[in-house]
Amino acid sequence: GVVVVSCREPSALPRMDGLHVFTVDGQHVVESLKRPLSLNMVMLGATVAATKIVSLETLKSLVAKRFSSADVKALEKGFEEVVARVELI
């Protein structure tokens, strides 16, 4: 299974054997974007990056139809955070 967690200190998480754990400092992302209410979009982007259940482009187009461009940016940042962390491994 896959778990996507918003946390500042990934090393503080308990061990989760048998799971692929992806972490994002979602709070930092929304603070940097000055969008405190967009944490859900950040985590949605992170989840899509971790699971590849849908393409980022498809999700962005759907979100853009209903939400602001700032929410689309938050979605992209969450996606980018996971991709960047995976590339470091």
Side-chain angles (χ1 to χ4, degrees):
V2 174
V3 176
V4 182
V5 181
S6 177
C7 68
R8 291 190 189 265
E9 290 296 325
S11 60
L13 289 174
R15 193 165 169 82
M16 294 183 228
D17 293 330
L19 296 174
H20 296 284
V21 179
F22 296 87
T23 61
V24 173
D25 188 349
Q27 193 61 42
H28 174 74
V29 173
V30 297
E31 288 169 2
S32 71
L33 294 173
K34 296 179 177 43
R35 298 282 303 170
L37 299 178
S38 293
L39 182 59
N40 59 340
M41 290 297 173
V42 172
M43 297 310 295
L44 180 58
T47 301
V48 167
T51 63
K52 299 177 178 76
I53 196 162
V54 66
S55 75
L56 177 60
E57 294 307 315
T58 298
L59 188 59
K60 282 172 39 178
S61 69
L62 293 170
V63 169
K65 289 178 183 177
R66 175 121 175 151
F67 300 97
S68 72
S69 60
D71 285 323
V72 174
K73 182 66 177 170
L75 181 81
E76 291 173 320
K77 290 298 281 182
F79 186 93
E80 292 166 3
E81 288 286 315
V82 169
V83 169
R85 288 177 187 246
V86 169
E87 289 174 354
L88 293 175
I89 296 174

Coordinates of all heavy atoms in Angstrom, one line a residue:
G1 N 0.8 -1.2 0.0 CA 0.0 0.0 0.0 C 0.8 1.2 0.0 O 2.1 1.2 0.2
V2 N 0.2 2.4 -0.2 CA 0.9 3.7 -0.2 C 0.2 4.6 0.9 O -1.0 4.6 1.0 CB 0.7 4.3 -1.6 CG1 1.2 5.7 -1.6 CG2 1.3 3.5 -2.7
V3 N 1.1 5.3 1.6 CA 0.7 6.3 2.6 C 1.4 7.6 2.2 O 2.6 7.7 2.0 CB 1.1 5.9 4.0 CG1 0.7 6.9 5.0 CG2 0.5 4.5 4.4
V4 N 0.6 8.7 2.1 CA 1.1 10.0 1.9 C 0.8 10.9 3.1 O -0.3 11.0 3.5 CB 0.5 10.6 0.6 CG1 1.1 12.0 0.3 CG2 0.6 9.7 -0.6
V5 N 1.9 11.4 3.7 CA 1.8 12.1 5.0 C 2.3 13.5 4.9 O 3.4 13.7 4.3 CB 2.5 11.3 6.1 CG1 2.4 12.0 7.4 CG2 2.1 9.9 6.2
S6 N 1.6 14.5 5.5 CA 2.2 15.8 5.6 C 2.9 15.9 6.9 O 2.3 15.7 8.0 CB 1.1 16.8 5.5 OG 1.6 18.1 5.7
C7 N 4.2 16.1 6.9 CA 5.0 16.3 8.1 C 6.2 17.0 7.9 O 6.8 17.0 6.8 CB 5.2 14.9 8.7 SG 6.4 13.9 7.8
R8 N 6.7 17.7 8.9 CA 8.0 18.4 8.8 C 9.2 17.5 9.0 O 10.2 17.8 8.5 CB 8.0 19.6 9.8 CG 7.0 20.7 9.5 CD 7.2 21.9 10.3 NE 6.1 22.8 10.1 CZ 6.2 23.9 9.3 NH1 7.2 24.0 8.6 NH2 5.2 24.7 9.2
E9 N 9.1 16.5 9.8 CA 10.2 15.6 10.2 C 9.8 14.2 9.9 O 9.3 13.5 10.7 CB 10.5 15.8 11.7 CG 11.1 17.1 12.1 CD 12.4 17.3 11.5 OE1 13.2 16.3 11.3 OE2 12.7 18.5 11.2
P10 N 10.1 13.8 8.6 CA 9.8 12.4 8.2 C 10.5 11.3 9.2 O 9.9 10.3 9.4 CB 10.4 12.3 6.8 CG 10.5 13.6 6.3 CD 10.7 14.5 7.5
S11 N 11.6 11.7 9.7 CA 12.3 10.7 10.6 C 11.5 10.5 11.9 O 11.7 9.5 12.6 CB 13.7 11.2 11.0 OG 13.6 12.4 11.6
A12 N 10.6 11.3 12.2 CA 9.7 11.2 13.4 C 8.6 10.2 13.2 O 7.9 9.8 14.2 CB 9.2 12.6 13.9
L13 N 8.3 9.8 12.0 CA 7.2 8.9 11.7 C 7.5 7.5 12.2 O 8.7 7.1 12.1 CB 6.9 8.8 10.2 CG 6.3 10.1 9.6 CD1 6.2 9.9 8.1 CD2 4.9 10.3 10.1
P14 N 6.5 6.8 12.7 CA 6.7 5.4 13.1 C 7.0 4.6 11.9 O 6.6 4.9 10.8 CB 5.4 5.0 13.8 CG 4.4 5.9 13.2 CD 5.1 7.2 12.9
R15 N 7.7 3.5 12.1 CA 8.0 2.6 11.0 C 6.7 1.9 10.5 O 5.9 1.5 11.3 CB 9.0 1.5 11.4 CG 9.6 0.7 10.4 CD 10.8 0.0 10.9 NE 11.2 -1.0 9.9 CZ 12.0 -0.7 8.9 NH1 12.4 0.6 8.7 NH2 12.3 -1.6 8.0
M16 N 6.5 1.9 9.2 CA 5.3 1.3 8.6 C 5.8 0.2 7.6 O 5.8 0.4 6.4 CB 4.5 2.4 7.9 CG 3.9 3.4 8.9 SD 2.9 4.6 8.0 CE 3.5 6.1 8.7
D17 N 6.1 -1.0 8.1 CA 6.5 -2.1 7.3 C 5.4 -2.5 6.3 O 4.3 -2.5 6.6 CB 6.9 -3.3 8.2 CG 8.1 -3.1 9.0 OD1 8.9 -2.3 8.6 OD2 8.1 -3.6 10.1
G18 N 5.9 -2.7 5.1 CA 5.0 -3.2 4.0 C 4.3 -2.1 3.3 O 3.5 -2.3 2.4
L19 N 4.6 -0.8 3.7 CA 3.9 0.3 3.0 C 5.0 1.2 2.4 O 6.1 1.4 2.9 CB 3.1 1.2 4.1 CG 2.0 0.5 4.7 CD1 1.4 1.4 5.8 CD2 0.9 0.1 3.7
H20 N 4.6 1.8 1.3 CA 5.5 2.8 0.7 C 5.0 4.2 1.3 O 3.9 4.6 1.0 CB 5.3 2.8 -0.8 CG 5.8 1.6 -1.5 ND1 7.1 1.3 -1.6 CD2 5.1 0.5 -2.0 CE1 7.3 0.1 -2.2 NE2 6.1 -0.4 -2.4
V21 N 5.9 4.8 2.0 CA 5.5 6.1 2.7 C 6.1 7.2 2.0 O 7.3 7.3 1.7 CB 6.0 6.1 4.2 CG1 5.6 7.4 4.9 CG2 5.3 4.9 4.9
F22 N 5.3 8.2 1.6 CA 5.8 9.4 0.9 C 5.4 10.6 1.9 O 4.3 10.7 2.4 CB 5.1 9.6 -0.4 CG 5.4 8.6 -1.4 CD1 4.6 7.4 -1.4 CD2 6.4 8.7 -2.3 CE1 4.9 6.4 -2.4 CE2 6.7 7.7 -3.2 CZ 5.9 6.6 -3.3
T23 N 6.4 11.5 2.1 CA 6.2 12.6 3.0 C 6.3 13.9 2.2 O 7.1 14.0 1.3 CB 7.1 12.6 4.2 OG1 8.5 12.7 3.7 CG2 7.0 11.3 5.0
V24 N 5.5 14.9 2.6 CA 5.6 16.2 2.1 C 5.4 17.2 3.2 O 4.5 16.9 4.1 CB 4.4 16.4 1.1 CG1 4.3 17.9 0.6 CG2 4.5 15.5 -0.1
D25 N 6.2 18.2 3.3 CA 5.9 19.2 4.3 C 4.9 20.2 3.8 O 5.1 21.3 3.3 CB 7.2 20.0 4.6 CG 7.1 20.9 5.8 OD1 6.0 21.2 6.2 OD2 8.1 21.4 6.2
G26 N 3.6 19.7 3.8 CA 2.5 20.4 3.2 C 2.3 21.8 3.9 O 2.0 22.8 3.2
Q27 N 2.6 21.9 5.2 CA 2.4 23.2 5.8 C 3.4 24.2 5.3 O 3.0 25.3 5.0 CB 2.6 23.0 7.4 CG 2.1 24.2 8.1 CD 0.6 24.5 8.0 OE1 -0.2 23.6 7.9 NE2 0.3 25.8 7.8
H28 N 4.6 23.8 5.1 CA 5.6 24.7 4.5 C 5.2 25.1 3.1 O 5.4 26.3 2.7 CB 7.0 24.0 4.5 CG 8.0 24.8 3.8 ND1 8.6 25.9 4.3 CD2 8.6 24.7 2.5 CE1 9.5 26.4 3.5 NE2 9.4 25.7 2.4
V29 N 4.7 24.2 2.3 CA 4.3 24.5 0.9 C 3.2 25.6 1.0 O 3.3 26.6 0.3 CB 3.8 23.3 0.2 CG1 3.2 23.7 -1.2 CG2 5.0 22.3 0.0
V30 N 2.1 25.4 1.8 CA 1.0 26.4 1.8 C 1.5 27.7 2.3 O 1.0 28.8 1.9 CB -0.2 25.8 2.5 CG1 -0.8 24.7 1.7 CG2 0.0 25.5 3.9
E31 N 2.4 27.7 3.3 CA 2.9 28.9 3.8 C 3.7 29.7 2.7 O 3.6 30.9 2.6 CB 3.8 28.7 5.0 CG 3.0 28.3 6.3 CD 3.8 27.7 7.4 OE1 5.1 27.7 7.3 OE2 3.2 27.3 8.4
S32 N 4.5 28.9 2.0 CA 5.4 29.6 0.9 C 4.5 30.1 -0.2 O 4.8 31.1 -0.8 CB 6.4 28.6 0.4 OG 5.8 27.6 -0.4
L33 N 3.3 29.5 -0.4 CA 2.4 30.0 -1.4 C 1.4 31.0 -0.9 O 0.6 31.6 -1.7 CB 1.6 28.8 -2.0 CG 2.3 27.8 -2.8 CD1 1.4 26.6 -3.1 CD2 2.9 28.4 -4.1
K34 N 1.5 31.2 0.4 CA 0.5 32.1 1.1 C -0.9 31.7 0.8 O -1.8 32.5 0.6 CB 0.8 33.6 0.7 CG 2.1 34.1 1.1 CD 2.4 35.5 0.7 CE 3.7 36.1 1.2 NZ 4.9 35.4 1.1
R35 N -1.1 30.4 0.9 CA -2.4 29.8 0.6 C -2.7 28.8 1.8 O -2.8 27.6 1.5 CB -2.4 29.0 -0.7 CG -2.2 29.9 -1.9 CD -3.4 30.7 -2.4 NE -4.5 29.8 -2.6 CZ -5.7 30.2 -2.8 NH1 -6.0 31.5 -2.8 NH2 -6.7 29.4 -3.1
P36 N -3.0 29.2 3.0 CA -3.1 28.3 4.1 C -4.3 27.3 4.0 O -4.3 26.3 4.6 CB -3.3 29.2 5.3 CG -3.8 30.5 4.7 CD -3.1 30.6 3.4
L37 N -5.3 27.7 3.1 CA -6.4 26.8 3.0 C -6.3 25.8 1.8 O -7.2 25.1 1.5 CB -7.7 27.6 2.8 CG -8.1 28.5 3.9 CD1 -9.3 29.3 3.6 CD2 -8.2 27.8 5.2
S38 N -5.1 25.7 1.2 CA -4.9 24.9 0.1 C -4.1 23.6 0.4 O -3.6 22.9 -0.5 CB -4.1 25.6 -1.0 OG -5.0 26.6 -1.6
L39 N -4.0 23.3 1.7 CA -3.3 22.1 2.1 C -3.9 20.8 1.4 O -3.1 19.9 1.0 CB -3.3 21.9 3.6 CG -2.5 20.7 4.1 CD1 -1.1 20.7 3.7 CD2 -2.7 20.6 5.6
N40 N -5.2 20.8 1.3 CA -5.8 19.6 0.6 C -5.3 19.5 -0.8 O -5.1 18.4 -1.3 CB -7.3 19.7 0.7 CG -7.9 20.9 0.1 OD1 -7.2 21.9 -0.1 ND2 -9.2 20.9 -0.3
M41 N -5.1 20.6 -1.5 CA -4.7 20.5 -2.9 C -3.2 20.1 -3.0 O -2.8 19.3 -3.9 CB -4.8 21.9 -3.6 CG -6.2 22.3 -3.9 SD -7.0 21.2 -5.0 CE -8.7 21.8 -5.0
V42 N -2.4 20.5 -2.0 CA -1.0 20.1 -2.0 C -1.0 18.6 -1.8 O -0.2 17.9 -2.5 CB -0.3 20.8 -0.8 CG1 1.1 20.2 -0.6 CG2 -0.2 22.3 -1.1
M43 N -1.8 18.1 -0.8 CA -1.8 16.7 -0.6 C -2.4 15.8 -1.7 O -1.9 14.7 -1.9 CB -2.4 16.4 0.8 CG -1.7 17.0 2.0 SD 0.1 16.7 2.0 CE 0.1 14.9 2.3
L44 N -3.3 16.4 -2.4 CA -3.9 15.7 -3.6 C -2.8 15.6 -4.6 O -2.7 14.5 -5.2 CB -5.1 16.5 -4.1 CG -5.8 15.9 -5.3 CD1 -6.3 14.5 -5.1 CD2 -7.0 16.8 -5.7
G45 N -2.1 16.6 -4.9 CA -1.0 16.5 -5.8 C 0.1 15.5 -5.4 O 0.6 14.8 -6.2
A46 N 0.4 15.5 -4.1 CA 1.4 14.5 -3.6 C 0.9 13.1 -3.8 O 1.6 12.2 -4.2 CB 1.6 14.8 -2.1
T47 N -0.4 12.9 -3.5 CA -1.0 11.6 -3.7 C -1.0 11.1 -5.1 O -0.7 9.9 -5.4 CB -2.4 11.6 -3.1 OG1 -2.4 11.9 -1.7 CG2 -3.1 10.2 -3.3
V48 N -1.3 12.0 -6.0 CA -1.2 11.7 -7.5 C 0.2 11.3 -7.9 O 0.5 10.3 -8.6 CB -1.8 12.8 -8.3 CG1 -1.4 12.6 -9.8 CG2 -3.3 12.9 -8.1
A49 N 1.2 12.0 -7.4 CA 2.6 11.7 -7.7 C 3.0 10.4 -7.1 O 3.7 9.6 -7.8 CB 3.5 12.8 -7.1
A50 N 2.5 10.1 -5.9 CA 2.9 8.8 -5.3 C 2.2 7.6 -5.9 O 2.8 6.5 -6.0 CB 2.6 8.9 -3.8
T51 N 1.0 7.8 -6.3 CA 0.2 6.6 -6.8 C 0.1 6.5 -8.3 O -0.2 5.4 -8.8 CB -1.2 6.6 -6.2 OG1 -1.9 7.8 -6.8 CG2 -1.2 6.6 -4.7
K52 N 0.3 7.6 -9.0 CA 0.1 7.7 -10.4 C -1.2 7.2 -10.9 O -1.4 6.6 -12.0 CB 1.3 6.9 -11.1 CG 2.6 7.5 -10.9 CD 3.7 6.6 -11.5 CE 5.1 7.2 -11.3 NZ 5.6 7.0 -10.0
I53 N -2.2 7.4 -10.0 CA -3.6 6.9 -10.3 C -4.2 7.7 -11.5 O -5.1 7.2 -12.1 CB -4.5 6.9 -9.1 CG1 -5.7 6.1 -9.3 CG2 -4.8 8.3 -8.6 CD1 -6.4 5.7 -8.0
V54 N -3.8 8.9 -11.7 CA -4.2 9.8 -12.8 C -3.1 10.7 -13.1 O -2.2 10.9 -12.3 CB -5.5 10.6 -12.3 CG1 -5.2 11.6 -11.3 CG2 -6.2 11.2 -13.5
S55 N -3.0 11.2 -14.3 CA -1.9 12.1 -14.7 C -2.1 13.4 -14.1 O -3.2 13.9 -13.8 CB -1.9 12.2 -16.2 OG -2.9 13.1 -16.7
L56 N -1.0 14.1 -13.9 CA -1.0 15.4 -13.3 C -1.8 16.4 -14.2 O -2.6 17.2 -13.8 CB 0.4 16.0 -13.1 CG 0.5 17.4 -12.5 CD1 -0.3 17.6 -11.2 CD2 1.9 17.9 -12.4
E57 N -1.6 16.3 -15.5 CA -2.3 17.1 -16.5 C -3.8 17.0 -16.4 O -4.5 18.0 -16.4 CB -1.8 16.9 -17.9 CG -0.3 17.3 -18.1 CD 0.0 18.7 -17.6 OE1 -0.8 19.6 -18.0 OE2 1.0 18.9 -16.9
T58 N -4.3 15.7 -16.3 CA -5.7 15.5 -16.2 C -6.3 16.1 -14.9 O -7.3 16.8 -15.0 CB -6.0 14.0 -16.2 OG1 -5.6 13.5 -17.5 CG2 -7.5 13.7 -16.0
L59 N -5.6 15.9 -13.8 CA -6.0 16.5 -12.6 C -6.0 18.0 -12.6 O -7.0 18.6 -12.1 CB -5.2 15.9 -11.4 CG -5.7 16.3 -10.0 CD1 -7.1 15.8 -9.8 CD2 -4.7 15.7 -9.0
K60 N -5.0 18.6 -13.1 CA -4.9 20.0 -13.2 C -6.1 20.6 -14.0 O -6.6 21.6 -13.6 CB -3.6 20.5 -13.9 CG -2.4 20.4 -12.9 CD -1.1 20.6 -13.6 CE -1.0 21.7 -14.6 NZ 0.4 21.9 -15.2
S61 N -6.4 20.0 -15.1 CA -7.5 20.5 -15.9 C -8.8 20.4 -15.2 O -9.7 21.3 -15.3 CB -7.6 19.8 -17.3 OG -8.0 18.4 -17.1
L62 N -9.0 19.3 -14.4 CA -10.2 19.2 -13.6 C -10.3 20.2 -12.5 O -11.4 20.8 -12.3 CB -10.4 17.8 -13.1 CG -10.6 16.6 -14.1 CD1 -10.4 15.3 -13.4 CD2 -11.9 16.8 -14.8
V63 N -9.2 20.4 -11.8 CA -9.2 21.3 -10.7 C -9.4 22.8 -11.2 O -10.1 23.6 -10.6 CB -7.9 21.2 -9.9 CG1 -7.7 22.4 -8.9 CG2 -7.8 19.9 -9.2
A64 N -8.8 23.1 -12.4 CA -8.9 24.4 -12.9 C -10.3 24.8 -13.3 O -10.7 26.0 -13.3 CB -8.0 24.5 -14.2
K65 N -11.1 23.8 -13.6 CA -12.5 24.0 -13.9 C -13.4 24.5 -12.7 O -14.4 25.2 -12.9 CB -13.2 22.8 -14.5 CG -12.7 22.5 -15.9 CD -13.3 21.2 -16.4 CE -12.7 20.9 -17.8 NZ -13.3 19.6 -18.3
R66 N -12.9 24.1 -11.6 CA -13.7 24.4 -10.4 C -13.1 25.3 -9.3 O -13.8 26.0 -8.6 CB -14.0 23.0 -9.7 CG -14.8 23.1 -8.4 CD -16.0 22.4 -8.5 NE -16.6 22.5 -7.1 CZ -17.8 22.5 -6.9 NH1 -18.7 22.3 -7.8 NH2 -18.3 22.6 -5.6
F67 N -11.8 25.4 -9.4 CA -11.0 26.1 -8.4 C -10.1 27.2 -9.0 O -10.0 27.2 -10.2 CB -10.2 25.2 -7.5 CG -11.0 24.2 -6.7 CD1 -11.2 22.9 -7.2 CD2 -11.7 24.5 -5.6 CE1 -12.0 22.0 -6.6 CE2 -12.4 23.6 -4.9 CZ -12.6 22.3 -5.4
S68 N -9.4 27.9 -8.2 CA -8.6 29.0 -8.7 C -7.3 28.5 -9.2 O -6.8 27.4 -9.0 CB -8.3 30.0 -7.5 OG -7.4 29.4 -6.6
S69 N -6.6 29.4 -10.0 CA -5.3 29.1 -10.5 C -4.3 28.9 -9.3 O -3.3 28.1 -9.5 CB -4.8 30.1 -11.5 OG -4.7 31.4 -10.8
A70 N -4.5 29.6 -8.2 CA -3.6 29.4 -7.1 C -3.8 28.0 -6.5 O -2.8 27.4 -6.0 CB -4.0 30.4 -6.0
D71 N -5.0 27.4 -6.6 CA -5.2 26.0 -6.1 C -4.5 25.0 -7.1 O -3.9 24.0 -6.6 CB -6.7 25.7 -6.0 CG -7.3 26.3 -4.8 OD1 -6.6 26.4 -3.7 OD2 -8.4 26.7 -4.8
V72 N -4.5 25.3 -8.4 CA -3.8 24.5 -9.3 C -2.3 24.5 -9.0 O -1.6 23.5 -9.1 CB -4.1 24.9 -10.8 CG1 -3.2 24.2 -11.8 CG2 -5.5 24.8 -11.1
K73 N -1.8 25.7 -8.7 CA -0.3 25.9 -8.3 C 0.0 25.0 -7.1 O 1.0 24.4 -7.0 CB 0.0 27.3 -8.1 CG 1.4 27.6 -7.8 CD 2.3 27.2 -9.0 CE 3.8 27.6 -8.6 NZ 4.7 27.0 -9.6
A74 N -0.9 25.0 -6.1 CA -0.7 24.3 -4.9 C -0.7 22.8 -5.2 O 0.2 22.0 -4.7 CB -1.8 24.5 -3.8
L75 N -1.5 22.3 -6.1 CA -1.6 21.0 -6.5 C -0.2 20.6 -7.2 O 0.3 19.5 -6.9 CB -2.7 20.8 -7.5 CG -3.0 19.5 -8.2 CD1 -3.8 18.6 -7.2 CD2 -3.7 19.6 -9.5
E76 N 0.3 21.5 -8.1 CA 1.5 21.2 -8.7 C 2.7 21.1 -7.7 O 3.6 20.3 -7.9 CB 1.8 22.3 -9.7 CG 0.9 22.3 -10.9 CD 1.2 23.6 -11.8 OE1 1.4 24.7 -11.3 OE2 1.1 23.4 -13.0
K77 N 2.7 22.0 -6.7 CA 3.8 22.0 -5.8 C 3.8 20.7 -4.9 O 4.8 20.2 -4.7 CB 3.6 23.2 -4.8 CG 3.9 24.5 -5.5 CD 5.4 24.6 -6.0 CE 6.3 24.9 -4.9 NZ 7.7 25.1 -5.3
G78 N 2.6 20.2 -4.6 CA 2.6 18.9 -3.8 C 3.1 17.8 -4.7 O 3.9 17.0 -4.2
F79 N 2.8 17.8 -6.0 CA 3.3 16.8 -6.9 C 4.8 16.9 -7.0 O 5.5 15.9 -6.9 CB 2.6 17.0 -8.3 CG 2.9 16.0 -9.3 CD1 2.1 14.9 -9.4 CD2 4.1 16.1 -10.1 CE1 2.4 13.9 -10.4 CE2 4.3 15.1 -11.0 CZ 3.5 14.0 -11.2
E80 N 5.3 18.1 -7.2 CA 6.7 18.3 -7.3 C 7.5 17.9 -6.1 O 8.6 17.4 -6.2 CB 7.0 19.8 -7.6 CG 6.5 20.2 -9.0 CD 6.4 21.7 -9.2 OE1 6.9 22.5 -8.3 OE2 6.0 22.2 -10.3
E81 N 6.9 18.2 -4.9 CA 7.6 17.8 -3.7 C 7.8 16.3 -3.6 O 8.9 15.8 -3.2 CB 6.8 18.2 -2.4 CG 6.8 19.7 -2.2 CD 8.1 20.2 -1.6 OE1 8.6 19.6 -0.7 OE2 8.6 21.2 -2.1
V82 N 6.8 15.5 -4.0 CA 7.0 14.0 -3.9 C 8.0 13.6 -5.0 O 8.9 12.8 -4.7 CB 5.7 13.3 -4.1 CG1 5.9 11.8 -4.4 CG2 4.8 13.5 -2.9
V83 N 7.9 14.1 -6.2 CA 8.8 13.8 -7.3 C 10.3 14.1 -6.9 O 11.2 13.3 -7.0 CB 8.4 14.5 -8.6 CG1 9.5 14.3 -9.6 CG2 7.1 13.9 -9.1
A84 N 10.5 15.3 -6.3 CA 11.8 15.7 -5.8 C 12.4 14.7 -4.8 O 13.5 14.3 -4.8 CB 11.8 17.1 -5.3
R85 N 11.5 14.3 -3.8 CA 12.0 13.4 -2.8 C 12.3 12.0 -3.3 O 13.3 11.4 -2.9 CB 11.0 13.3 -1.7 CG 10.9 14.6 -0.8 CD 9.8 14.5 0.2 NE 9.7 15.7 0.9 CZ 10.0 15.9 2.2 NH1 10.5 14.9 2.9 NH2 9.8 17.1 2.7
V86 N 11.5 11.5 -4.3 CA 11.8 10.2 -4.9 C 13.1 10.2 -5.7 O 13.8 9.3 -5.6 CB 10.6 9.8 -5.8 CG1 10.9 8.6 -6.6 CG2 9.3 9.5 -4.9
E87 N 13.4 11.4 -6.3 CA 14.6 11.5 -7.1 C 15.8 11.5 -6.2 O 16.9 11.1 -6.6 CB 14.6 12.7 -8.0 CG 13.6 12.6 -9.1 CD 13.4 13.9 -9.9 OE1 14.0 14.9 -9.5 OE2 12.7 13.8 -11.0
L88 N 15.7 11.9 -5.0 CA 16.8 11.9 -4.0 C 17.1 10.5 -3.5 O 18.2 10.3 -3.0 CB 16.5 12.8 -2.8 CG 16.4 14.3 -3.1 CD1 15.9 15.1 -1.9 CD2 17.7 14.8 -3.6
I89 N 16.2 9.6 -3.6 CA 16.4 8.2 -3.1 C 17.3 7.4 -4.0 O 17.2 7.4 -5.2 CB 15.0 7.5 -2.9 CG1 14.2 8.2 -1.8 CG2 15.2 6.1 -2.4 CD1 12.8 7.7 -1.6

